[in-house]
Amino acid sequence: EFAQTVGPNSRGHNSFAWAGMLFLAIAASAAPPLPKAPVGFRLFPGRAPALDVHLYHDLCCPFSRQMFEALCGDSGAIAQLEKQSEGRVQWTYHCVPQPWHAQSACMHEASLAVEAAAPEKTWSFLAALNAQQQDFFDEHAMDYSRRDLYKRLASIASTVGCEEEAILQLLSPLEPTGNSGIGVTQALKWHVRHHRAAGVHVTPTVFVNGIEAPQVSSGWSSTEWVDFCDGLLKN
């Protein structure tokens, strides 16, 4: 019945329209895969917040580290806000590997490997890696091979409770030959597509409830972060 209605032999059939439908069907089948969940590392999965803060950071960027430490230290803004706001704030971390930090891609791949292997350890790994960020600066990392970087990153992951071999497996090539990528290449592509679509160019960049917040500074103290979030929660 469908073929009789819209098929190439139907009365009044428009061959161009039929060709267009066929083209769209082929294009859809060849489209790149889409993520099954929103992109980003959520600190509190399942939370429906009043304030939704998205952090676009580069793990090799010192300004990103400065912001992360103000938020995530023992007396950081997130810990303070959790006591005050009763779970009304969500924090999502996005990977923005800047191309001028060549080692940054490997660092972010390691964070995606941790998310895949032990998602509950992801933010702990981010904290551990930020604490050792300078070990991956050019002055130290210039002569590392890609495998050297992965081994060092997997070792850091093991300090937060991940299985080192499981992380290394995810950081291994999918195929013995060719250029197929590693176990988390697709996840990295999703993160990069996401921040490009959001128009993020510099790190760190912060979005609040879907809108970029240019007033936020990487130099803010934890107190300034708390005051900022409190002001939004009270409005």
Short mmCIF file of all heavy atoms in Angstrom, two decimals, residues 153-224:
data_model
loop_
_atom_site.label_atom_id
_atom_site.label_comp_id
_atom_site.label_asym_id
_atom_site.label_seq_id
_atom_site.Cartn_x
_atom_site.Cartn_y
_atom_site.Cartn_z
N LEU A 153 49.28 8.73 33.16
CA LEU A 153 47.89 9.09 33.47
C LEU A 153 47.15 7.92 34.10
O LEU A 153 46.37 8.11 35.06
CB LEU A 153 47.20 9.54 32.19
CG LEU A 153 47.69 10.88 31.64
CD1 LEU A 153 47.32 11.03 30.16
CD2 LEU A 153 47.13 12.04 32.45
N ALA A 154 47.38 6.71 33.61
CA ALA A 154 46.74 5.53 34.21
C ALA A 154 47.24 5.32 35.63
O ALA A 154 46.47 4.87 36.50
CB ALA A 154 47.02 4.30 33.35
N SER A 155 48.51 5.64 35.88
CA SER A 155 49.04 5.52 37.24
C SER A 155 48.34 6.49 38.18
O SER A 155 48.01 6.15 39.33
CB SER A 155 50.55 5.79 37.22
OG SER A 155 51.08 5.74 38.53
N ILE A 156 48.07 7.71 37.72
CA ILE A 156 47.33 8.68 38.53
C ILE A 156 45.91 8.16 38.78
O ILE A 156 45.37 8.27 39.89
CB ILE A 156 47.30 10.05 37.85
CG1 ILE A 156 48.71 10.64 37.80
CG2 ILE A 156 46.36 11.01 38.58
CD1 ILE A 156 48.83 11.93 36.99
N ALA A 157 45.30 7.58 37.75
CA ALA A 157 43.95 7.03 37.93
C ALA A 157 43.93 5.95 38.99
O ALA A 157 42.95 5.82 39.74
CB ALA A 157 43.44 6.49 36.60
N SER A 158 45.00 5.19 39.08
CA SER A 158 45.05 4.11 40.08
C SER A 158 45.06 4.66 41.51
O SER A 158 44.61 3.99 42.44
CB SER A 158 46.29 3.22 39.86
OG SER A 158 47.48 3.89 40.22
N THR A 159 45.54 5.90 41.68
CA THR A 159 45.58 6.49 43.02
C THR A 159 44.20 6.87 43.54
O THR A 159 44.04 7.12 44.74
CB THR A 159 46.50 7.73 43.06
OG1 THR A 159 45.91 8.78 42.27
CG2 THR A 159 47.88 7.41 42.53
N VAL A 160 43.20 6.92 42.65
CA VAL A 160 41.84 7.25 43.09
C VAL A 160 40.93 6.02 43.03
O VAL A 160 39.70 6.13 43.13
CB VAL A 160 41.23 8.41 42.26
CG1 VAL A 160 42.07 9.67 42.42
CG2 VAL A 160 41.07 8.03 40.79
N GLY A 161 41.54 4.84 42.86
CA GLY A 161 40.77 3.61 42.95
C GLY A 161 40.43 2.94 41.65
O GLY A 161 39.65 1.97 41.63
N CYS A 162 40.98 3.41 40.53
CA CYS A 162 40.73 2.77 39.24
C CYS A 162 41.74 1.65 39.00
O CYS A 162 42.86 1.69 39.50
CB CYS A 162 40.85 3.78 38.10
SG CYS A 162 39.63 5.10 38.15
N GLU A 163 41.35 0.67 38.22
CA GLU A 163 42.27 -0.38 37.81
C GLU A 163 43.14 0.16 36.69
O GLU A 163 42.65 0.52 35.63
CB GLU A 163 41.52 -1.62 37.33
CG GLU A 163 40.94 -2.46 38.44
CD GLU A 163 40.43 -3.79 37.91
OE1 GLU A 163 41.07 -4.35 37.00
OE2 GLU A 163 39.40 -4.25 38.41
N GLU A 164 44.45 0.19 36.93
CA GLU A 164 45.36 0.78 35.96
C GLU A 164 45.27 0.09 34.60
O GLU A 164 45.24 0.75 33.55
CB GLU A 164 46.79 0.71 36.50
CG GLU A 164 47.79 1.49 35.70
CD GLU A 164 49.13 1.64 36.41
OE1 GLU A 164 49.15 1.50 37.66
OE2 GLU A 164 50.14 1.87 35.72
N GLU A 165 45.19 -1.24 34.60
CA GLU A 165 45.13 -1.97 33.34
C GLU A 165 43.84 -1.70 32.57
O GLU A 165 43.83 -1.66 31.34
CB GLU A 165 45.29 -3.47 33.59
CG GLU A 165 46.70 -3.89 33.96
CD GLU A 165 47.72 -3.46 32.89
OE1 GLU A 165 47.44 -3.66 31.70
OE2 GLU A 165 48.77 -2.92 33.28
N ALA A 166 42.75 -1.51 33.30
CA ALA A 166 41.48 -1.21 32.65
C ALA A 166 41.54 0.15 31.94
O ALA A 166 41.01 0.32 30.83
CB ALA A 166 40.34 -1.22 33.66
N ILE A 167 42.21 1.10 32.57
CA ILE A 167 42.37 2.42 31.96
C ILE A 167 43.26 2.33 30.72
O ILE A 167 42.96 2.88 29.66
CB ILE A 167 42.94 3.43 32.96
CG1 ILE A 167 42.02 3.56 34.18
CG2 ILE A 167 43.16 4.78 32.31
CD1 ILE A 167 40.60 3.97 33.87
N LEU A 168 44.37 1.59 30.85
CA LEU A 168 45.28 1.44 29.72
C LEU A 168 44.61 0.73 28.55
O LEU A 168 44.88 1.03 27.39
CB LEU A 168 46.54 0.69 30.14
CG LEU A 168 47.53 1.49 31.00
CD1 LEU A 168 48.64 0.60 31.53
CD2 LEU A 168 48.13 2.64 30.18
N GLN A 169 43.72 -0.21 28.85
CA GLN A 169 43.01 -0.91 27.79
C GLN A 169 42.14 0.06 26.99
O GLN A 169 42.07 0.01 25.76
CB GLN A 169 42.14 -2.02 28.37
CG GLN A 169 41.42 -2.87 27.33
CD GLN A 169 42.36 -3.60 26.40
OE1 GLN A 169 43.41 -4.09 26.81
NE2 GLN A 169 41.99 -3.68 25.13
N LEU A 170 41.48 0.97 27.70
CA LEU A 170 40.65 1.96 27.02
C LEU A 170 41.47 2.99 26.25
O LEU A 170 40.95 3.65 25.35
CB LEU A 170 39.76 2.67 28.04
CG LEU A 170 38.59 1.84 28.59
CD1 LEU A 170 38.05 2.47 29.86
CD2 LEU A 170 37.49 1.72 27.53
N LEU A 171 42.74 3.11 26.60
CA LEU A 171 43.64 4.04 25.93
C LEU A 171 44.49 3.35 24.87
O LEU A 171 45.45 3.94 24.37
CB LEU A 171 44.55 4.73 26.96
CG LEU A 171 43.84 5.59 28.01
CD1 LEU A 171 44.82 6.08 29.06
CD2 LEU A 171 43.11 6.76 27.36
N SER A 172 44.11 2.14 24.51
CA SER A 172 44.83 1.36 23.50
C SER A 172 44.12 1.45 22.16
O SER A 172 42.89 1.65 22.10
CB SER A 172 44.92 -0.11 23.93
OG SER A 172 45.65 -0.23 25.14
N PRO A 173 44.87 1.28 21.05
CA PRO A 173 44.25 1.34 19.71
C PRO A 173 43.15 0.30 19.55
O PRO A 173 43.26 -0.83 20.03
CB PRO A 173 45.42 1.06 18.77
CG PRO A 173 46.64 1.45 19.55
CD PRO A 173 46.33 1.11 20.98
N LEU A 174 42.09 0.68 18.84
CA LEU A 174 40.99 -0.24 18.59
C LEU A 174 41.40 -1.33 17.61
O LEU A 174 40.90 -2.46 17.67
CB LEU A 174 39.78 0.52 18.04
CG LEU A 174 39.10 1.48 19.01
CD1 LEU A 174 38.05 2.31 18.27
CD2 LEU A 174 38.46 0.73 20.17
N GLU A 175 42.29 -0.99 16.67
CA GLU A 175 42.76 -1.93 15.66
C GLU A 175 44.29 -1.91 15.64
O GLU A 175 44.90 -0.87 15.90
CB GLU A 175 42.22 -1.56 14.27
CG GLU A 175 40.70 -1.50 14.18
CD GLU A 175 40.04 -2.86 14.31
OE1 GLU A 175 40.74 -3.88 14.13
OE2 GLU A 175 38.83 -2.90 14.59
N PRO A 176 44.92 -3.04 15.29
CA PRO A 176 46.38 -3.08 15.28
C PRO A 176 47.01 -2.25 14.17
O PRO A 176 48.17 -1.88 14.24
CB PRO A 176 46.69 -4.57 15.09
CG PRO A 176 45.47 -5.14 14.45
CD PRO A 176 44.32 -4.35 15.01
N THR A 177 46.24 -1.96 13.12
CA THR A 177 46.74 -1.14 12.02
C THR A 177 45.75 -0.03 11.72
O THR A 177 44.62 -0.04 12.20
CB THR A 177 46.94 -2.00 10.75
OG1 THR A 177 45.68 -2.59 10.37
CG2 THR A 177 47.96 -3.10 10.99
N GLY A 178 46.19 0.91 10.88
CA GLY A 178 45.29 1.98 10.48
C GLY A 178 45.23 3.12 11.48
O GLY A 178 46.15 3.31 12.29
N ASN A 179 44.14 3.87 11.44
CA ASN A 179 44.00 5.08 12.25
C ASN A 179 42.62 5.12 12.90
O ASN A 179 41.90 6.10 12.84
CB ASN A 179 44.19 6.31 11.34
CG ASN A 179 44.52 7.56 12.12
OD1 ASN A 179 45.17 7.50 13.16
ND2 ASN A 179 44.07 8.69 11.61
N SER A 180 42.27 3.99 13.53
CA SER A 180 40.91 3.81 14.05
C SER A 180 40.68 4.51 15.39
O SER A 180 39.55 4.57 15.87
CB SER A 180 40.61 2.32 14.20
OG SER A 180 41.55 1.71 15.07
N GLY A 181 41.75 5.02 16.00
CA GLY A 181 41.59 5.66 17.30
C GLY A 181 41.69 4.68 18.45
O GLY A 181 42.04 3.50 18.28
N ILE A 182 41.36 5.16 19.66
CA ILE A 182 41.43 4.33 20.86
C ILE A 182 40.02 4.15 21.43
O ILE A 182 39.04 4.61 20.83
CB ILE A 182 42.38 4.96 21.91
CG1 ILE A 182 41.87 6.34 22.34
CG2 ILE A 182 43.79 5.06 21.35
CD1 ILE A 182 42.67 6.96 23.48
N GLY A 183 39.94 3.53 22.57
CA GLY A 183 38.63 3.18 23.13
C GLY A 183 37.75 4.35 23.49
O GLY A 183 36.54 4.18 23.62
N VAL A 184 38.32 5.54 23.66
CA VAL A 184 37.51 6.70 24.05
C VAL A 184 37.52 7.80 22.98
O VAL A 184 37.11 8.93 23.25
CB VAL A 184 37.98 7.28 25.40
CG1 VAL A 184 37.73 6.29 26.52
CG2 VAL A 184 39.45 7.68 25.35
N THR A 185 37.97 7.47 21.78
CA THR A 185 38.03 8.49 20.72
C THR A 185 36.66 9.07 20.41
O THR A 185 36.49 10.28 20.27
CB THR A 185 38.67 7.91 19.45
OG1 THR A 185 40.03 7.55 19.72
CG2 THR A 185 38.63 8.92 18.32
N GLN A 186 35.65 8.21 20.32
CA GLN A 186 34.30 8.70 20.02
C GLN A 186 33.80 9.63 21.13
O GLN A 186 33.19 10.67 20.85
CB GLN A 186 33.33 7.54 19.84
CG GLN A 186 31.91 7.96 19.45
CD GLN A 186 31.87 8.78 18.18
OE1 GLN A 186 32.16 8.28 17.10
NE2 GLN A 186 31.52 10.05 18.28
N ALA A 187 34.08 9.29 22.37
CA ALA A 187 33.65 10.15 23.48
C ALA A 187 34.34 11.50 23.40
O ALA A 187 33.71 12.55 23.67
CB ALA A 187 33.96 9.47 24.82
N LEU A 188 35.62 11.51 23.04
CA LEU A 188 36.34 12.79 22.90
C LEU A 188 35.74 13.62 21.77
O LEU A 188 35.58 14.84 21.89
CB LEU A 188 37.82 12.54 22.64
CG LEU A 188 38.70 13.79 22.52
CD1 LEU A 188 38.69 14.59 23.81
CD2 LEU A 188 40.12 13.42 22.12
N LYS A 189 35.37 12.96 20.69
CA LYS A 189 34.73 13.67 19.57
C LYS A 189 33.44 14.35 20.03
O LYS A 189 33.15 15.49 19.65
CB LYS A 189 34.43 12.71 18.43
CG LYS A 189 35.66 12.24 17.66
CD LYS A 189 35.25 11.30 16.54
CE LYS A 189 36.45 10.83 15.74
NZ LYS A 189 36.05 9.92 14.63
N TRP A 190 32.66 13.66 20.85
CA TRP A 190 31.41 14.25 21.34
C TRP A 190 31.69 15.48 22.19
O TRP A 190 30.99 16.50 22.08
CB TRP A 190 30.61 13.21 22.12
CG TRP A 190 29.92 12.21 21.26
CD1 TRP A 190 29.40 12.42 20.01
CD2 TRP A 190 29.66 10.84 21.58
NE1 TRP A 190 28.83 11.25 19.53
CE2 TRP A 190 28.97 10.27 20.47
CE3 TRP A 190 29.92 10.03 22.69
CZ2 TRP A 190 28.56 8.94 20.44
CZ3 TRP A 190 29.51 8.70 22.67
CH2 TRP A 190 28.84 8.17 21.55
N HIS A 191 32.68 15.40 23.06
CA HIS A 191 33.02 16.56 23.89
C HIS A 191 33.46 17.74 23.03
O HIS A 191 33.06 18.88 23.27
CB HIS A 191 34.12 16.19 24.89
CG HIS A 191 33.61 15.61 26.16
ND1 HIS A 191 33.53 16.31 27.34
CD2 HIS A 191 33.12 14.38 26.44
CE1 HIS A 191 33.02 15.55 28.30
NE2 HIS A 191 32.77 14.36 27.77
N VAL A 192 34.29 17.46 22.02
CA VAL A 192 34.78 18.54 21.15
C VAL A 192 33.64 19.13 20.34
O VAL A 192 33.51 20.36 20.21
CB VAL A 192 35.91 18.02 20.24
CG1 VAL A 192 36.28 19.07 19.20
CG2 VAL A 192 37.14 17.65 21.07
N ARG A 193 32.77 18.29 19.78
CA ARG A 193 31.62 18.79 19.03
C ARG A 193 30.73 19.65 19.93
O ARG A 193 30.19 20.68 19.51
CB ARG A 193 30.82 17.63 18.45
CG ARG A 193 31.49 16.93 17.28
CD ARG A 193 30.62 15.82 16.73
NE ARG A 193 29.42 16.34 16.11
CZ ARG A 193 28.42 15.58 15.67
NH1 ARG A 193 28.49 14.26 15.77
NH2 ARG A 193 27.36 16.13 15.12
N HIS A 194 30.58 19.21 21.18
CA HIS A 194 29.71 19.95 22.11
C HIS A 194 30.26 21.35 22.38
O HIS A 194 29.52 22.34 22.30
CB HIS A 194 29.58 19.17 23.42
CG HIS A 194 28.81 19.91 24.47
ND1 HIS A 194 27.43 19.93 24.52
CD2 HIS A 194 29.23 20.68 25.51
CE1 HIS A 194 27.04 20.68 25.53
NE2 HIS A 194 28.11 21.14 26.15
N HIS A 195 31.55 21.44 22.71
CA HIS A 195 32.04 22.78 23.07
C HIS A 195 32.17 23.68 21.84
O HIS A 195 32.03 24.91 21.93
CB HIS A 195 33.33 22.71 23.88
CG HIS A 195 34.59 22.40 23.14
ND1 HIS A 195 35.17 23.26 22.23
CD2 HIS A 195 35.42 21.33 23.19
CE1 HIS A 195 36.29 22.74 21.77
NE2 HIS A 195 36.46 21.57 22.31
N ARG A 196 32.38 23.08 20.67
CA ARG A 196 32.36 23.90 19.45
C ARG A 196 30.97 24.44 19.18
O ARG A 196 30.80 25.61 18.81
CB ARG A 196 32.84 23.06 18.26
CG ARG A 196 34.34 22.80 18.24
CD ARG A 196 34.71 21.91 17.06
NE ARG A 196 36.14 21.66 17.00
CZ ARG A 196 36.70 20.82 16.14
NH1 ARG A 196 35.95 20.13 15.28
NH2 ARG A 196 38.02 20.65 16.14
N ALA A 197 29.97 23.59 19.35
CA ALA A 197 28.59 24.03 19.13
C ALA A 197 28.19 25.13 20.11
O ALA A 197 27.39 26.01 19.79
CB ALA A 197 27.63 22.85 19.24
N ALA A 198 28.77 25.07 21.33
CA ALA A 198 28.48 26.09 22.34
C ALA A 198 29.27 27.37 22.12
O ALA A 198 29.04 28.37 22.81
CB ALA A 198 28.77 25.54 23.73
N GLY A 199 30.20 27.36 21.16
CA GLY A 199 31.00 28.55 20.87
C GLY A 199 32.10 28.80 21.88
O GLY A 199 32.57 29.94 22.03
N VAL A 200 32.56 27.74 22.55
CA VAL A 200 33.62 27.89 23.55
C VAL A 200 34.97 27.90 22.85
O VAL A 200 35.30 26.98 22.09
CB VAL A 200 33.57 26.75 24.58
CG1 VAL A 200 34.78 26.80 25.50
CG2 VAL A 200 32.28 26.83 25.39
N HIS A 201 35.77 28.94 23.12
CA HIS A 201 37.09 29.06 22.51
C HIS A 201 38.21 29.14 23.54
O HIS A 201 39.30 28.63 23.30
CB HIS A 201 37.14 30.30 21.60
CG HIS A 201 36.17 30.25 20.47
ND1 HIS A 201 36.34 29.46 19.37
CD2 HIS A 201 34.99 30.91 20.28
CE1 HIS A 201 35.32 29.61 18.53
NE2 HIS A 201 34.49 30.49 19.07
N VAL A 202 37.97 29.79 24.65
CA VAL A 202 39.02 29.96 25.66
C VAL A 202 38.68 29.13 26.89
O VAL A 202 37.52 28.80 27.14
CB VAL A 202 39.19 31.44 26.05
CG1 VAL A 202 39.56 32.28 24.83
CG2 VAL A 202 37.93 31.99 26.68
N THR A 203 39.71 28.80 27.64
CA THR A 203 39.51 28.07 28.89
C THR A 203 40.12 28.85 30.05
O THR A 203 41.18 29.47 29.88
CB THR A 203 40.18 26.68 28.81
OG1 THR A 203 41.56 26.81 28.45
CG2 THR A 203 39.48 25.79 27.81
N PRO A 204 39.42 28.84 31.19
CA PRO A 204 38.11 28.23 31.40
C PRO A 204 36.98 29.13 30.91
O PRO A 204 37.11 30.36 30.92
CB PRO A 204 38.04 28.06 32.91
CG PRO A 204 38.86 29.22 33.44
CD PRO A 204 39.98 29.41 32.45
N THR A 205 35.89 28.51 30.50
CA THR A 205 34.65 29.21 30.19
C THR A 205 33.54 28.58 31.03
O THR A 205 33.55 27.37 31.24
CB THR A 205 34.30 29.10 28.69
OG1 THR A 205 35.28 29.81 27.92
CG2 THR A 205 32.92 29.68 28.40
N VAL A 206 32.62 29.40 31.51
CA VAL A 206 31.55 28.92 32.39
C VAL A 206 30.20 29.29 31.78
O VAL A 206 30.01 30.42 31.32
CB VAL A 206 31.69 29.52 33.80
CG1 VAL A 206 30.49 29.13 34.67
CG2 VAL A 206 32.99 29.08 34.45
N PHE A 207 29.28 28.34 31.81
CA PHE A 207 27.88 28.59 31.44
C PHE A 207 27.03 28.36 32.68
O PHE A 207 27.27 27.42 33.45
CB PHE A 207 27.43 27.62 30.34
CG PHE A 207 27.79 28.05 28.95
CD1 PHE A 207 29.10 28.25 28.57
CD2 PHE A 207 26.79 28.25 27.99
CE1 PHE A 207 29.44 28.62 27.27
CE2 PHE A 207 27.11 28.64 26.69
CZ PHE A 207 28.44 28.82 26.33
N VAL A 208 26.04 29.22 32.87
CA VAL A 208 25.11 29.08 33.99
C VAL A 208 23.69 29.01 33.42
O VAL A 208 23.25 29.92 32.71
CB VAL A 208 25.23 30.27 34.97
CG1 VAL A 208 24.16 30.16 36.06
CG2 VAL A 208 26.62 30.31 35.59
N ASN A 209 23.02 27.91 33.71
CA ASN A 209 21.67 27.68 33.20
C ASN A 209 21.58 27.91 31.68
O ASN A 209 20.64 28.51 31.17
CB ASN A 209 20.65 28.57 33.94
CG ASN A 209 20.46 28.12 35.37
OD1 ASN A 209 20.76 26.98 35.73
ND2 ASN A 209 19.96 29.01 36.21
N GLY A 210 22.60 27.41 30.99
CA GLY A 210 22.60 27.43 29.53
C GLY A 210 23.14 28.70 28.89
O GLY A 210 23.24 28.76 27.66
N ILE A 211 23.50 29.71 29.69
CA ILE A 211 23.98 30.99 29.17
C ILE A 211 25.42 31.22 29.62
O ILE A 211 25.75 31.01 30.79
CB ILE A 211 23.10 32.16 29.65
CG1 ILE A 211 21.63 31.92 29.27
CG2 ILE A 211 23.60 33.48 29.09
CD1 ILE A 211 21.38 31.86 27.78
N GLU A 212 26.28 31.65 28.68
CA GLU A 212 27.67 31.93 29.05
C GLU A 212 27.73 33.04 30.10
O GLU A 212 26.98 34.03 30.02
CB GLU A 212 28.49 32.33 27.83
CG GLU A 212 29.96 32.50 28.14
CD GLU A 212 30.82 32.79 26.91
OE1 GLU A 212 30.27 32.75 25.78
OE2 GLU A 212 32.01 33.08 27.09
N ALA A 213 28.60 32.86 31.08
CA ALA A 213 28.75 33.83 32.18
C ALA A 213 30.13 34.47 32.10
O ALA A 213 31.07 34.04 32.78
CB ALA A 213 28.55 33.14 33.52
N PRO A 214 30.29 35.51 31.26
CA PRO A 214 31.62 36.11 31.07
C PRO A 214 32.14 36.83 32.31
O PRO A 214 33.33 37.14 32.39
CB PRO A 214 31.41 37.07 29.90
CG PRO A 214 29.95 37.40 29.93
CD PRO A 214 29.27 36.16 30.42
N GLN A 215 31.27 37.11 33.27
CA GLN A 215 31.72 37.80 34.48
C GLN A 215 32.52 36.89 35.41
O GLN A 215 33.23 37.36 36.29
CB GLN A 215 30.53 38.40 35.24
CG GLN A 215 29.54 37.39 35.81
CD GLN A 215 28.40 37.11 34.85
OE1 GLN A 215 28.63 36.79 33.70
NE2 GLN A 215 27.16 37.23 35.34
N VAL A 216 32.41 35.58 35.19
CA VAL A 216 33.15 34.63 36.03
C VAL A 216 34.63 34.69 35.66
O VAL A 216 35.00 34.67 34.48
CB VAL A 216 32.62 33.20 35.85
CG1 VAL A 216 33.47 32.21 36.62
CG2 VAL A 216 31.17 33.12 36.30
N SER A 217 35.49 34.73 36.67
CA SER A 217 36.93 34.83 36.45
C SER A 217 37.65 33.60 36.99
O SER A 217 37.26 33.04 38.02
CB SER A 217 37.47 36.08 37.15
OG SER A 217 38.89 36.08 37.17
N SER A 218 38.70 33.20 36.29
CA SER A 218 39.52 32.09 36.78
C SER A 218 40.23 32.45 38.08
O SER A 218 40.67 31.58 38.82
CB SER A 218 40.56 31.69 35.72
OG SER A 218 41.43 32.78 35.44
N GLY A 219 40.33 33.75 38.35
CA GLY A 219 41.00 34.19 39.57
C GLY A 219 40.09 34.30 40.78
O GLY A 219 40.54 34.70 41.86
N TRP A 220 38.80 33.94 40.62
CA TRP A 220 37.89 34.04 41.76
C TRP A 220 38.31 33.11 42.90
O TRP A 220 38.75 31.98 42.67
CB TRP A 220 36.48 33.66 41.32
CG TRP A 220 35.70 34.79 40.73
CD1 TRP A 220 36.14 36.03 40.40
CD2 TRP A 220 34.31 34.75 40.37
NE1 TRP A 220 35.13 36.79 39.87
CE2 TRP A 220 34.00 36.02 39.83
CE3 TRP A 220 33.32 33.78 40.45
CZ2 TRP A 220 32.72 36.34 39.38
CZ3 TRP A 220 32.04 34.10 39.99
CH2 TRP A 220 31.74 35.36 39.47
N SER A 221 38.11 33.60 44.11
CA SER A 221 38.28 32.77 45.30
C SER A 221 37.04 31.93 45.51
O SER A 221 35.99 32.16 44.88
CB SER A 221 38.52 33.65 46.52
OG SER A 221 37.34 34.41 46.81
N SER A 222 37.11 30.98 46.43
CA SER A 222 35.93 30.17 46.74
C SER A 222 34.81 31.05 47.29
O SER A 222 33.63 30.82 47.02
CB SER A 222 36.29 29.07 47.74
OG SER A 222 36.83 29.63 48.93
N THR A 223 35.17 32.09 48.05
CA THR A 223 34.17 33.00 48.61
C THR A 223 33.43 33.74 47.51
O THR A 223 32.20 33.90 47.56
CB THR A 223 34.82 34.00 49.57
OG1 THR A 223 35.47 33.29 50.63
CG2 THR A 223 33.79 34.96 50.14
N GLU A 224 34.15 34.18 46.49
CA GLU A 224 33.51 34.88 45.38
C GLU A 224 32.57 33.95 44.62
O GLU A 224 31.48 34.37 44.19
CB GLU A 224 34.58 35.46 44.44
CG GLU A 224 35.33 36.65 45.04
CD GLU A 224 36.50 37.09 44.20
OE1 GLU A 224 37.42 36.28 43.99
OE2 GLU A 224 36.49 38.26 43.73
#
